[in-house]
Amino acid sequence: MPNIEHAAHIYLFVRKEGEASGAKKFEILRYYVHSFEIDGAAAGKTALRRADAATVKSRFEQIRRRGNVVLYIKSTREAPTSLLIEAAKAGAGDFTVSFGVRAVRDGAITMSSTSVQAKGSFAEPPIPVDGKPPLLKVKLTLAAPTFYYGVREKNKMNLQKVET
């Protein structure tokens, strides 16, 4: 029987003022997400290693309806969470968010993909939370999030916008 796991990532596209020319550029922050929850939803934290596809899809529908997500992010050498804390302190109040979860079979083949894209802002400053592993809690507000879902069919990912 194939081993199916869920893996999640978030990209934040933060607008930065150019130093000399005043031109605007983007800094892209990418993190792997350990778990997530939706503020105000009845369901608690969703641990991705134990989630199934139906649960993930349901949670993303809640993200779309409620316009928020609380992420628990593990710091790595390649993606230190200190950059998120600095961005929040610097007032990076308006950025583009792409949060996605994919189901992976045997560590190699993506079976399904669920994602949400929106303009975002920090609902509150990110804070460290104790645990194993230690994580950073990042609460985001999302403006008019767009929800996508797709499954692999004939070796091609068919990702489509979900309308309600």
Side-chain angles (χ1 to χ4, degrees):
M1 176 152 212
N3 180 26
I4 296 178
E5 291 185 351
H6 287 86
H9 62 274
I10 184 159
Y11 292 91
L12 301 177
F13 300 87
V14 180
R15 189 175 294 266
K16 293 253 186 190
E17 291 294 327
E19 294 175 10
S21 66
K24 295 190 176 187
K25 10 183 194 173
F26 292 92
E27 179 178 7
I28 301 171
L29 304 176
R30 179 183 184 203
Y31 296 95
Y32 289 98
V33 177
H34 178 270
S35 53
F36 70 97
E37 63 185 321
I38 298 92
D39 194 35
K45 195 183 299 183
T46 301
L48 292 164
R49 292 224 176 243
R50 294 187 297 263
D52 59 39
T55 298
V56 170
K57 192 173 179 184
S58 170
R59 299 295 186 272
F60 270 75
E61 177 58 31
Q62 292 172 3
I63 291 169
R64 189 194 62 75
R65 277 198 324 265
R66 295 188 178 273
N68 76 76
V69 64
V70 181
L71 305 168
Y72 295 87
I73 299 171
K74 181 181 176 193
S75 190
T76 65
R77 185 175 12 188
E78 298 81 27
T81 54
S82 60
L83 295 176
L84 274 173
I85 295 169
E86 290 171 18
K89 285 182 181 176
D94 187 22
F95 44 82
T96 301
V97 176
S98 178
F99 173 45
V101 175
R102 55 192 168 86
V104 180
R105 183 178 70 202
D106 297 328
I109 301 171
T110 300
M111 301 305 295
S112 67
S113 181
T114 309
S115 67
V116 65
Q117 297 174 354
K119 292 290 183 186
S121 61
F122 292 101
E124 56 191 46
I127 57 169
V129 291
D130 291 330
K132 296 207 189 274
L135 303 169
L136 184 70
K137 179 180 178 181
V138 181
K139 185 175 180 182
L140 301 174
T141 301
L142 306 174
T146 304
F147 170 36
Y148 297 90
Y149 180 75
V151 294
R152 179 174 294 281
E153 295 174 352
K154 298 181 182 175
N155 287 333
K156 184 179 178 189
M157 184 58 68
N158 183 16
L159 197 63
Q160 296 188 2
K161 184 176 178 180
V162 176
E163 304 285 347
T164 56

